[in-house]
Amino acid sequence: MLTVKGVYTTSLLLLSMSCIAQHAPIKNTYTSEDGIPHLIIERKMIYHPDTAWLYNHHASITHLKNLFIAIWSDGMIDEDKPGQRVFFAVSKDFFHWSAPQVFANPGVYKNDTLNVLTAAGFHQFNDTIVAYYGEYSPHKTNTHLWAKTSTDGEHWSNAINMHVPVNPNHGPEKIASGRLIISGNFTFPYTDDYRGLSGWTMSSFYADSLYKEDNPATFYAPAEKNNLPPLCEGSFFQTDDSIIHMLLRVTGKGWKGKLWLTESKDNGAHWSLPVETNFTDNDSKFHFGRLPNRRFYYAGIPDTLHHYARTPLVLSISNDGKLFDKNYIIADEPYNLKKEGLWKGGQYGYPHTMIYKGDMYVIVSRMKEAIEVIRFKIDQLK
């Protein structure tokens, strides 16, 4: 059963007001000036298309047993067009990756027109990996979230319906209570099923009446009705006071080079009214996380001088989750586009991170055409 919980119903108004984030509590110190150290990295191109299926984006990476597993969206030429599917590839050593295989194909919308699939990350429990993907019609309607499971990273179950109308930005991430939360555009479904396969409950900072589904087209209307810029593609971290800090991208005409923030003090059940931060952003997806030494990190594109160029790829570190003042260049080498397509661009697109055995792994799309993975030793971070 789908349960929807918004923060603007009358009975929850006081709770909403009590947890409204203060203006600019989170900020970074990145500037484009010279002097930011470059990390020593290793890198490998996982997939570089030849003459077909030239759109590749929305990548995530994980590790299960002896395998690295990557998943991403794969389209013919243009972004999020009918027929877009999901690919995956595996590697035992980071440097040698299997040929990509189809993870999921879209269903038929009408006659010979296909739906659109979007890769949506991983969750792991015990010795099982769960991979998620969203599906919606060519008209950005009828949104569904699906999952498949595997115990070896190569053979997958049939698709399982998650029964939430969400196209996620990142896969489920665990908070201190054990609850799993999905970062969507403006909805953040949660479940207490440790497997991440059932019991998903919708949650948002918007009123329940303002939306029916969360996908790449539905975040504009509720934002306009609330006099907010188009907010989308969240990523969160939780501080030791149990507050969840969900940072949000602003896109379109509302972009002013800053991330916005909504917070939850009750394990993701309710969210504060979003406010602008002083954390700079290039208009792209990003990923927050926590290092083994408990410091917080951000991987993304904080440059604002070259809107939408999505370079350099930067790692920023914070001791307290408020001030991200240690900055490192992960990568800034250019990629040459093979084939132009709708919305194809951005040198380092949509980073997703993973920490494994002392290394951080960052998977990105290159100009929304190729998929690359980068890794570096985290002991470089001072």
Side-chain angles (χ1 to χ4, degrees):
M1 177 182 296
L2 172 62
T3 304
V4 181
K5 294 186 178 181
V7 299
Y8 294 111
T9 58
T10 301
S11 62
L12 296 175
L13 180 59
L14 293 178
L15 174 61
S16 173
M17 295 300 293
S18 69
C19 61
I20 289 179
Q22 298 301 307
H23 182 69
I26 297 175
K27 62 182 179 179
N28 65 345
T29 61
Y30 173 84
T31 68
S32 59
E33 297 176 0
D34 294 335
I36 298 177
H38 283 66
L39 295 170
I40 300 171
I41 65 172
E42 297 176 297
R43 61 200 309 167
K44 181 64 180 179
M45 197 68 77
I46 295 177
Y47 180 59
H48 192 189
D50 188 11
T51 59
W53 295 95
L54 293 161
Y55 171 83
N56 295 276
H57 200 34
H58 311 120
S60 295
I61 189 168
T62 192
H63 189 275
L64 177 70
K65 298 177 181 177
N66 66 335
L67 279 183
F68 294 102
I69 310 164
I71 192 172
W72 66 92
S73 306
D74 176 58
M76 288 178 251
I77 295 177
D78 297 328
E79 178 170 274
D80 297 345
K81 290 300 181 181
Q84 185 169 296
R85 57 192 181 176
V86 176
F87 259 6
F88 81 101
V90 299
S91 172
K92 292 183 177 180
D93 62 2
F94 175 82
F95 294 107
H96 301 88
W97 287 83
S98 68
Q101 301 178 57
V102 175
F103 179 81
N105 280 310
V108 176
Y109 171 63
K110 286 183 180 179
N111 300 322
D112 59 351
T113 302
L114 298 175
N115 286 331
V116 181
L117 299 188
T118 301
F122 297 102
H123 168 60
Q124 188 171 340
F125 67 93
N126 301 332
D127 290 327
T128 299
I129 197 79
V130 186
Y132 300 84
Y133 60 98
E135 181 172 24
Y136 50 82
S137 80
H139 301 290
K140 304 294 193 299
T141 59
N142 199 30
T143 306
H144 289 81
L145 178 62
W146 303 93
K148 293 184 178 183
T149 65
S150 175
T151 57
D152 63 7
E154 296 185 273
H155 302 90
W156 298 89
S157 72
N158 292 329
I160 306 167
N161 192 343
M162 297 293 98
H163 298 289
V164 280
V166 176
N167 190 85
N169 183 45
H170 290 296
E173 296 183 38
K174 186 185 296 185
I175 60 174
S177 69
R179 174 169 287 177
L180 299 176
I181 298 178
I182 288 174
S183 302
N185 290 296
F186 59 87
T187 65
F188 316 117
Y190 63 87
T191 182
D192 294 316
D193 174 7
Y194 73 99
R195 305 169 306 157
L197 293 173
S198 66
W200 291 104
T201 299
M202 293 290 280
S203 181
S204 177
F205 49 81
Y206 288 135
D208 305 348
S209 60
L210 292 183
Y211 66 92
K212 294 182 179 179
E213 53 193 322
D214 182 359
N215 66 44
T218 58
F219 57 80
Y220 293 98
E224 184 175 359
K225 290 179 180 178
N226 282 275
N227 198 30
L228 292 171
L231 301 172
C232 61
E233 294 178 339
S235 178
F236 73 87
F237 61 91
Q238 185 179 33
T239 43
D240 292 336
D241 56 8
S242 295
I243 297 175
I244 304 168
H245 312 270
M246 181 77 70
L247 281 297
L248 299 164
R249 172 189 174 188
V250 179
T251 192
K253 295 180 180 179
W255 181 81
K256 294 182 180 179
K258 300 290 180 64
L259 298 178
W260 281 54
L261 172 70
T262 179
E263 295 177 330
S264 176
K265 295 182 178 180
D266 59 2
N267 293 322
H270 307 98
W271 296 88
S272 66
L273 184 68
V275 295
E276 187 179 54
T277 73
N278 282 318
F279 202 116
T280 61
D281 173 65
N282 189 254
D283 195 352
S284 181
K285 179 175 173 175
F286 47 89
H287 198 207
F288 281 92
R290 203 158 190 184
L291 297 169
N293 65 10
R294 308 298 291 165
R295 291 191 294 172
F296 303 92
Y297 71 85
Y298 152 94
I301 318 295
D303 174 77
T304 58
L305 297 180
H306 308 93
H307 183 203
Y308 206 67
R310 296 179 174 173
T311 189
L313 178 62
V314 171
L315 187 79
S316 299
I317 307 296
S318 172
N319 289 326
D320 59 5
K322 295 180 180 179
L323 178 62
F324 288 75
D325 59 350
K326 301 288 186 182
N327 300 295
Y328 302 87
I329 304 295
I330 301 173
D332 56 7
E333 294 79 4
Y335 169 89
N336 294 319
L337 190 65
K338 277 189 172 184
K339 177 71 174 180
E340 292 185 0
L342 182 66
W343 305 121
K344 284 182 67 176
Q347 285 294 335
Y348 293 90
Y350 284 34
H352 174 261
T353 66
M354 173 187 70
I355 295 176
Y356 176 69
K357 289 189 175 180
D359 291 325
M360 182 178 290
Y361 293 76
V362 187
I363 191 169
V364 292
S365 68
R366 304 303 308 275
M367 299 289 280
K368 300 184 183 179
E369 185 173 86
I371 301 296
E372 185 177 33
V373 62
I374 299 166
R375 74 176 177 186
F376 55 85
K377 297 292 183 184
I378 59 176
D379 62 10
Q380 298 179 69
L381 308 177
K382 305 303 182 183

